[in-house]
Amino acid sequence: MERDTVLLKDSGEDIAAAAELIRSGNVVAVPTETVYGLCADAVNEAAVRAVFAAKGRPADNPLIVHLSDFSEAVKYTKSIPELAYRLAERFCPGPLTMVLPKNDRIPMITSGGLETVGIRVPSHPVMHRIIQLSGCAIAAPSANISGLPSPTCAAHVMDDMKGRIAAVVDGGESRFGVESTVISFEGENSVRILRPGAVTRKMLLEICEEVIVDPAILKELEEGSIAASPGMKYKHYSPKADVVMVEGELDRFIEYISENYGENVYSLIFDGDADNFPYRYVTYGADSEEQAHFLFQRLRELDEIGADKVYVRAPSKDGVGLAVYNRLIRAAGFEVIRV
Ligand code: AMP
Ligand code: MG
Protein backbone atom coordinates (compact mmCIF):
# COMPACT_ATOMS: atom_id res chain seq x y z
CA MET A 1 0.00 0.00 0.00
CA GLU A 2 1.47 3.36 -1.05
CA ARG A 3 1.53 5.92 1.80
CA ASP A 4 3.42 9.00 2.94
CA THR A 5 6.62 8.25 4.83
CA VAL A 6 7.38 11.04 7.30
CA LEU A 7 11.01 12.05 7.82
CA LEU A 8 11.50 12.72 11.53
CA LYS A 9 14.47 14.39 13.25
CA ASP A 10 16.28 13.11 16.34
CA SER A 11 14.68 15.84 18.50
CA GLY A 12 12.84 14.97 21.73
CA GLU A 13 9.48 15.71 20.14
CA ASP A 14 10.10 13.58 17.03
CA ILE A 15 11.55 10.70 19.05
CA ALA A 16 8.38 10.70 21.17
CA ALA A 17 6.29 10.68 17.97
CA ALA A 18 8.27 7.71 16.60
CA ALA A 19 7.81 5.79 19.86
CA GLU A 20 4.05 6.45 19.78
CA LEU A 21 3.81 5.27 16.16
CA ILE A 22 5.54 1.99 17.10
CA ARG A 23 3.43 1.57 20.25
CA SER A 24 0.28 1.89 18.16
CA GLY A 25 1.34 -0.78 15.66
CA ASN A 26 3.17 1.14 12.90
CA VAL A 27 6.58 0.47 11.32
CA VAL A 28 9.28 3.14 11.78
CA ALA A 29 12.95 3.09 10.68
CA VAL A 30 15.31 4.10 13.48
CA PRO A 31 19.09 4.66 13.59
CA THR A 32 21.18 2.22 15.60
CA GLU A 33 24.94 1.96 16.11
CA THR A 34 25.10 -0.96 13.61
CA VAL A 35 22.75 -0.02 10.71
CA TYR A 36 19.24 1.48 10.52
CA GLY A 37 16.51 -0.86 11.79
CA LEU A 38 12.89 -1.31 10.69
CA CYS A 39 11.10 -1.20 14.04
CA ALA A 40 7.81 -2.73 15.15
CA ASP A 41 6.29 -3.98 18.41
CA ALA A 42 7.73 -7.52 18.59
CA VAL A 43 4.58 -9.01 20.18
CA ASN A 44 2.14 -7.39 17.72
CA GLU A 45 1.72 -9.94 14.91
CA ALA A 46 0.15 -7.49 12.46
CA ALA A 47 2.96 -4.98 12.98
CA VAL A 48 5.62 -7.68 12.53
CA ARG A 49 3.87 -8.90 9.38
CA ALA A 50 4.07 -5.33 8.05
CA VAL A 51 7.87 -5.38 8.60
CA PHE A 52 8.25 -8.58 6.55
CA ALA A 53 6.00 -7.08 3.83
CA ALA A 54 7.88 -3.74 3.67
CA LYS A 55 11.22 -5.54 3.22
CA GLY A 56 10.00 -8.40 1.07
CA ARG A 57 11.75 -10.64 3.62
CA PRO A 58 11.30 -14.43 3.51
CA ALA A 59 9.03 -15.54 6.39
CA ASP A 60 11.63 -18.00 7.73
CA ASN A 61 14.27 -15.29 8.33
CA PRO A 62 13.87 -14.31 12.02
CA LEU A 63 13.82 -10.77 13.42
CA ILE A 64 16.12 -9.71 16.27
CA VAL A 65 14.27 -8.37 19.32
CA HIS A 66 15.71 -5.18 20.83
CA LEU A 67 15.37 -4.35 24.54
CA SER A 68 16.30 -1.31 26.65
CA ASP A 69 18.25 -3.44 29.14
CA PHE A 70 19.35 -7.09 29.23
CA SER A 71 17.39 -7.57 32.48
CA GLU A 72 14.22 -7.37 30.29
CA ALA A 73 15.24 -10.59 28.47
CA VAL A 74 13.61 -12.79 31.16
CA LYS A 75 10.20 -11.56 29.96
CA TYR A 76 10.69 -13.05 26.48
CA THR A 77 12.82 -16.16 27.03
CA LYS A 78 12.44 -19.56 28.74
CA SER A 79 15.93 -19.66 30.23
CA ILE A 80 19.12 -17.61 30.17
CA PRO A 81 22.52 -19.25 30.72
CA GLU A 82 24.90 -17.71 33.23
CA LEU A 83 27.36 -17.04 30.41
CA ALA A 84 24.78 -14.77 28.73
CA TYR A 85 24.70 -12.56 31.82
CA ARG A 86 28.49 -12.34 31.84
CA LEU A 87 28.49 -11.40 28.14
CA ALA A 88 25.73 -8.86 28.73
CA GLU A 89 27.76 -7.21 31.46
CA ARG A 90 30.61 -6.66 29.01
CA PHE A 91 28.80 -6.09 25.67
CA CYS A 92 25.30 -4.74 26.44
CA PRO A 93 24.41 -2.18 25.35
CA GLY A 94 26.21 -2.78 22.06
CA PRO A 95 26.33 -4.71 18.77
CA LEU A 96 25.87 -8.25 20.18
CA THR A 97 22.80 -10.45 19.59
CA MET A 98 22.35 -13.55 21.76
CA VAL A 99 20.11 -16.38 20.52
CA LEU A 100 18.06 -17.78 23.43
CA PRO A 101 15.05 -20.12 23.81
CA LYS A 102 11.95 -17.94 23.34
CA ASN A 103 8.80 -18.06 25.44
CA ASP A 104 5.18 -17.73 24.22
CA ARG A 105 5.17 -13.93 24.35
CA ILE A 106 7.30 -13.87 21.19
CA PRO A 107 5.04 -14.84 18.27
CA MET A 108 6.28 -17.45 15.80
CA ILE A 109 6.13 -14.91 12.99
CA THR A 110 8.73 -12.77 14.82
CA SER A 111 11.12 -15.72 15.28
CA GLY A 112 10.66 -16.94 11.70
CA GLY A 113 9.13 -20.18 12.99
CA LEU A 114 12.05 -20.96 15.34
CA GLU A 115 11.79 -21.79 19.06
CA THR A 116 14.61 -19.31 19.72
CA VAL A 117 14.85 -15.53 19.63
CA GLY A 118 17.82 -13.23 19.05
CA ILE A 119 18.03 -10.58 21.81
CA ARG A 120 20.01 -7.34 21.52
CA VAL A 121 20.36 -4.19 23.63
CA PRO A 122 21.31 -1.33 21.28
CA SER A 123 23.55 1.49 22.50
CA HIS A 124 22.40 4.18 20.07
CA PRO A 125 20.72 6.89 22.22
CA VAL A 126 17.83 7.42 19.75
CA MET A 127 17.00 3.69 19.49
CA HIS A 128 17.43 3.30 23.25
CA ARG A 129 15.04 6.19 23.97
CA ILE A 130 12.46 4.90 21.48
CA ILE A 131 12.46 1.46 23.12
CA GLN A 132 12.01 3.09 26.55
CA LEU A 133 9.25 5.50 25.49
CA SER A 134 7.29 2.91 23.46
CA GLY A 135 7.44 0.39 26.31
CA CYS A 136 7.76 -2.30 23.62
CA ALA A 137 10.23 -5.03 22.88
CA ILE A 138 11.14 -3.93 19.36
CA ALA A 139 11.59 -6.37 16.48
CA ALA A 140 13.97 -4.75 14.00
CA PRO A 141 15.70 -6.16 10.94
CA SER A 142 17.93 -3.94 8.82
CA ALA A 143 15.80 -1.25 7.11
CA ASN A 144 16.66 -2.23 3.50
CA ILE A 145 14.68 -4.10 0.85
CA SER A 146 15.60 -7.75 1.34
CA GLY A 147 18.81 -8.61 -0.53
CA LEU A 148 20.07 -5.02 -0.93
CA PRO A 149 22.93 -3.49 1.11
CA SER A 150 21.88 -2.47 4.64
CA PRO A 151 21.20 1.25 5.17
CA THR A 152 23.67 3.30 7.22
CA CYS A 153 21.91 6.68 6.89
CA ALA A 154 18.32 7.99 6.60
CA ALA A 155 18.66 8.71 2.85
CA HIS A 156 19.42 5.02 2.15
CA VAL A 157 16.31 4.04 4.11
CA MET A 158 14.18 6.53 2.17
CA ASP A 159 15.54 5.13 -1.13
CA ASP A 160 14.25 1.66 -0.16
CA MET A 161 11.26 2.34 2.12
CA LYS A 162 9.57 5.55 0.93
CA GLY A 163 5.87 4.79 0.56
CA ARG A 164 6.15 1.51 2.48
CA ILE A 165 6.45 2.55 6.16
CA ALA A 166 5.08 5.26 8.47
CA ALA A 167 8.29 7.18 9.24
CA VAL A 168 12.09 7.34 9.24
CA VAL A 169 14.04 8.96 12.10
CA ASP A 170 17.19 10.70 10.83
CA GLY A 171 20.00 10.16 13.33
CA GLY A 172 22.97 10.63 11.00
CA GLU A 173 25.42 7.91 9.95
CA SER A 174 25.55 4.58 11.80
CA ARG A 175 28.81 4.23 13.67
CA PHE A 176 29.77 0.60 12.94
CA GLY A 177 28.14 0.17 9.53
CA VAL A 178 27.69 -3.62 9.73
CA GLU A 179 24.96 -5.54 11.54
CA SER A 180 25.38 -7.02 15.03
CA THR A 181 27.44 -10.08 15.91
CA VAL A 182 24.97 -12.98 16.37
CA ILE A 183 25.93 -15.81 18.76
CA SER A 184 24.32 -18.97 20.07
CA PHE A 185 25.28 -20.93 23.20
CA GLU A 186 27.13 -24.24 22.79
CA GLY A 187 28.09 -25.09 26.36
CA GLU A 188 28.69 -23.62 29.79
CA ASN A 189 31.64 -21.57 28.54
CA SER A 190 31.31 -21.84 24.80
CA VAL A 191 29.53 -19.82 22.09
CA ARG A 192 29.21 -20.02 18.30
CA ILE A 193 29.38 -16.97 16.05
CA LEU A 194 26.50 -17.24 13.55
CA ARG A 195 27.10 -13.82 12.01
CA PRO A 196 30.28 -11.78 12.57
CA GLY A 197 30.04 -8.11 13.55
CA ALA A 198 31.81 -5.43 15.55
CA VAL A 199 32.02 -7.64 18.66
CA THR A 200 34.90 -9.81 17.46
CA ARG A 201 35.95 -13.39 18.27
CA LYS A 202 38.89 -12.01 20.26
CA MET A 203 36.58 -9.80 22.34
CA LEU A 204 34.25 -12.75 23.05
CA LEU A 205 37.28 -14.82 24.14
CA GLU A 206 37.82 -12.34 26.97
CA ILE A 207 34.63 -13.79 28.52
CA CYS A 208 34.19 -17.27 26.95
CA GLU A 209 36.63 -20.19 26.97
CA GLU A 210 35.63 -21.30 23.47
CA VAL A 211 34.33 -19.28 20.52
CA ILE A 212 33.44 -21.31 17.42
CA VAL A 213 33.18 -19.52 14.08
CA ASP A 214 30.34 -21.17 12.17
CA PRO A 215 31.71 -22.46 8.82
CA ALA A 216 28.80 -20.85 6.93
CA ILE A 217 30.30 -17.42 7.68
CA LEU A 218 33.03 -17.87 5.08
CA LYS A 219 31.63 -20.34 2.61
CA GLU A 220 28.44 -21.25 0.84
CA LEU A 221 26.10 -23.64 2.63
CA GLU A 222 25.94 -27.00 0.95
CA GLU A 223 22.64 -27.79 -0.70
CA GLY A 224 20.21 -29.49 1.69
CA SER A 225 22.13 -28.54 4.86
CA ILE A 226 20.31 -26.63 7.58
CA ALA A 227 21.48 -23.09 8.39
CA ALA A 228 22.22 -22.45 12.09
CA SER A 229 21.28 -18.87 11.26
CA PRO A 230 18.58 -18.60 8.58
CA GLY A 231 19.99 -15.36 7.14
CA MET A 232 23.04 -17.34 5.99
CA LYS A 233 21.22 -19.08 3.20
CA TYR A 234 20.11 -15.98 1.32
CA LYS A 235 22.04 -13.87 -1.15
CA HIS A 236 22.51 -10.58 0.63
CA TYR A 237 23.89 -7.10 0.66
CA SER A 238 24.04 -6.97 -3.14
CA PRO A 239 24.04 -3.88 -5.29
CA LYS A 240 22.61 -4.13 -8.83
CA ALA A 241 26.12 -4.51 -10.20
CA ASP A 242 27.73 -7.93 -10.43
CA VAL A 243 30.27 -8.12 -7.58
CA VAL A 244 33.39 -10.30 -7.70
CA MET A 245 35.88 -10.58 -4.84
CA VAL A 246 39.54 -10.69 -5.88
CA GLU A 247 42.13 -12.01 -3.41
CA GLY A 248 45.79 -11.18 -3.89
CA GLU A 249 48.47 -8.47 -3.88
CA LEU A 250 47.79 -5.05 -5.38
CA ASP A 251 50.03 -5.49 -8.46
CA ARG A 252 48.31 -8.78 -9.32
CA PHE A 253 44.92 -7.14 -8.73
CA ILE A 254 45.79 -4.33 -11.17
CA GLU A 255 47.00 -6.88 -13.72
CA TYR A 256 43.72 -8.77 -13.38
CA ILE A 257 41.66 -5.58 -13.86
CA SER A 258 43.70 -4.68 -16.97
CA GLU A 259 42.66 -8.01 -18.50
CA ASN A 260 39.00 -7.67 -17.51
CA TYR A 261 38.41 -3.96 -18.00
CA GLY A 262 35.50 -2.47 -19.92
CA GLU A 263 32.60 -0.07 -19.84
CA ASN A 264 31.08 0.43 -16.36
CA VAL A 265 33.69 -1.78 -14.70
CA TYR A 266 34.77 -0.44 -11.31
CA SER A 267 37.23 -1.53 -8.64
CA LEU A 268 36.45 -1.25 -4.93
CA ILE A 269 39.87 -0.83 -3.33
CA PHE A 270 41.53 0.24 -0.07
CA ASP A 271 42.40 3.90 0.54
CA GLY A 272 46.13 3.10 0.35
CA ASP A 273 45.73 1.54 -3.13
CA ALA A 274 44.41 4.67 -4.79
CA ASP A 275 47.70 6.46 -5.63
CA ASN A 276 48.43 5.79 -9.29
CA PHE A 277 45.59 3.24 -9.59
CA PRO A 278 45.09 3.29 -13.36
CA TYR A 279 41.40 2.34 -13.65
CA ARG A 280 37.99 3.60 -12.43
CA TYR A 281 37.72 2.96 -8.72
CA VAL A 282 35.95 3.73 -5.45
CA THR A 283 37.74 3.29 -2.10
CA TYR A 284 36.29 1.76 1.06
CA GLY A 285 38.61 2.68 3.92
CA ALA A 286 42.11 2.00 5.18
CA ASP A 287 41.52 -0.53 7.97
CA SER A 288 38.84 -3.05 8.99
CA GLU A 289 36.88 -0.57 11.14
CA GLU A 290 36.72 1.96 8.30
CA GLN A 291 35.85 -0.75 5.77
CA ALA A 292 32.95 -1.87 7.97
CA HIS A 293 31.80 1.73 8.32
CA PHE A 294 31.90 2.50 4.57
CA LEU A 295 31.13 -0.82 2.86
CA PHE A 296 27.34 -0.62 2.43
CA GLN A 297 27.50 3.11 1.60
CA ARG A 298 30.01 2.42 -1.17
CA LEU A 299 28.00 -0.49 -2.59
CA ARG A 300 25.00 1.84 -2.89
CA GLU A 301 27.15 4.57 -4.50
CA LEU A 302 28.41 2.10 -7.10
CA ASP A 303 24.79 1.55 -8.15
CA GLU A 304 24.21 5.29 -8.38
CA ILE A 305 27.18 5.80 -10.70
CA GLY A 306 25.96 2.97 -12.91
CA ALA A 307 28.56 0.27 -12.28
CA ASP A 308 27.72 -3.03 -14.01
CA LYS A 309 30.68 -4.98 -12.67
CA VAL A 310 32.62 -4.38 -9.44
CA TYR A 311 35.91 -6.09 -8.61
CA VAL A 312 36.57 -5.81 -4.87
CA ARG A 313 39.95 -6.13 -3.20
CA ALA A 314 39.35 -8.84 -0.58
CA PRO A 315 39.58 -7.43 2.96
CA SER A 316 41.50 -8.91 5.90
CA LYS A 317 39.52 -11.50 7.89
CA ASP A 318 41.01 -10.32 11.21
CA GLY A 319 38.91 -8.65 13.91
CA VAL A 320 35.91 -6.80 12.48
CA GLY A 321 37.40 -7.62 9.05
CA LEU A 322 35.66 -11.01 9.34
CA ALA A 323 32.32 -9.16 9.24
CA VAL A 324 33.39 -7.16 6.18
CA TYR A 325 34.60 -10.32 4.41
CA ASN A 326 31.37 -12.15 5.32
CA ARG A 327 29.15 -9.38 3.85
CA LEU A 328 31.27 -9.02 0.71
CA ILE A 329 31.41 -12.73 -0.07
CA ARG A 330 27.59 -12.78 0.06
CA ALA A 331 27.34 -9.62 -2.06
CA ALA A 332 29.56 -11.50 -4.54
CA GLY A 333 27.32 -14.58 -4.44
CA PHE A 334 30.50 -16.46 -3.26
CA GLU A 335 32.39 -15.61 -6.46
CA VAL A 336 36.02 -15.28 -5.35
CA ILE A 337 39.01 -15.12 -7.69
CA ARG A 338 42.56 -15.67 -6.43
CA VAL A 339 45.25 -13.82 -8.38
P1 AMP B 1 18.85 -8.60 10.17
O1 AMP B 1 17.50 -8.55 10.80
O2 AMP B 1 18.80 -8.12 8.78
O3 AMP B 1 19.91 -7.96 11.01
O4 AMP B 1 19.21 -10.14 10.15
C1 AMP B 1 19.09 -10.87 11.35
C2 AMP B 1 19.79 -12.18 11.24
O5 AMP B 1 20.09 -12.66 12.54
C3 AMP B 1 18.96 -13.26 10.59
O6 AMP B 1 19.09 -13.28 9.20
C4 AMP B 1 19.53 -14.53 11.21
O7 AMP B 1 20.59 -14.99 10.41
C5 AMP B 1 20.04 -14.07 12.57
N1 AMP B 1 19.09 -14.50 13.61
C6 AMP B 1 18.07 -13.78 14.16
N2 AMP B 1 17.39 -14.51 15.04
C7 AMP B 1 17.95 -15.73 15.05
C8 AMP B 1 17.67 -16.97 15.74
N3 AMP B 1 16.66 -17.08 16.59
N4 AMP B 1 18.48 -18.02 15.47
C9 AMP B 1 19.52 -17.92 14.60
N5 AMP B 1 19.82 -16.81 13.92
C10 AMP B 1 19.04 -15.72 14.14
MG1 MG C 1 19.53 -7.53 7.00
Side-chain angles (χ1 to χ4, degrees), residues 55 57 142 144 150 179:
K55 281 182 65 80
R57 182 169 173 114
S142 53
N144 52 288
S150 298
E179 305 83 347

Coordinates of all heavy atoms in Angstrom, one line a residue, residues 55 57 142 144 150 179, ligand 2:
K55 N 9.9 -5.1 3.7 CA 11.2 -5.5 3.2 C 11.2 -6.6 2.1 O 12.2 -6.8 1.4 CB 12.0 -6.2 4.4 CG 12.6 -5.3 5.4 CD 13.4 -6.1 6.4 CE 14.6 -6.9 5.9 NZ 15.8 -6.1 5.7
R57 N 10.9 -9.7 3.0 CA 11.8 -10.6 3.6 C 11.1 -12.0 3.7 O 9.9 -12.1 4.0 CB 12.0 -10.2 5.0 CG 13.0 -11.0 5.9 CD 13.3 -10.2 7.1 NE 14.1 -10.9 8.1 CZ 15.4 -10.5 8.4 NH1 16.0 -9.5 7.7 NH2 16.0 -11.0 9.5
S142 N 17.4 -5.1 9.5 CA 17.9 -3.9 8.8 C 16.9 -3.3 7.9 O 16.0 -4.0 7.3 CB 19.1 -4.4 8.0 OG 18.8 -5.5 7.2
N144 N 16.5 -2.2 5.0 CA 16.7 -2.2 3.5 C 15.6 -3.2 2.9 O 15.1 -4.0 3.6 CB 18.1 -2.7 3.1 CG 18.4 -4.0 3.9 OD1 18.6 -4.1 5.1 ND2 18.3 -5.1 3.1
S150 N 22.6 -3.1 3.5 CA 21.9 -2.5 4.6 C 22.1 -1.0 4.7 O 23.1 -0.5 4.2 CB 22.4 -3.1 5.9 OG 22.2 -4.5 6.0
E179 N 25.9 -5.1 10.6 CA 25.0 -5.5 11.5 C 25.6 -6.2 12.7 O 26.8 -6.6 12.7 CB 24.0 -6.5 10.9 CG 23.3 -6.0 9.6 CD 24.1 -6.1 8.4 OE1 25.3 -6.4 8.5 OE2 23.5 -6.0 7.3
Ligands
MG2 MG 19.5 -7.5 7.0

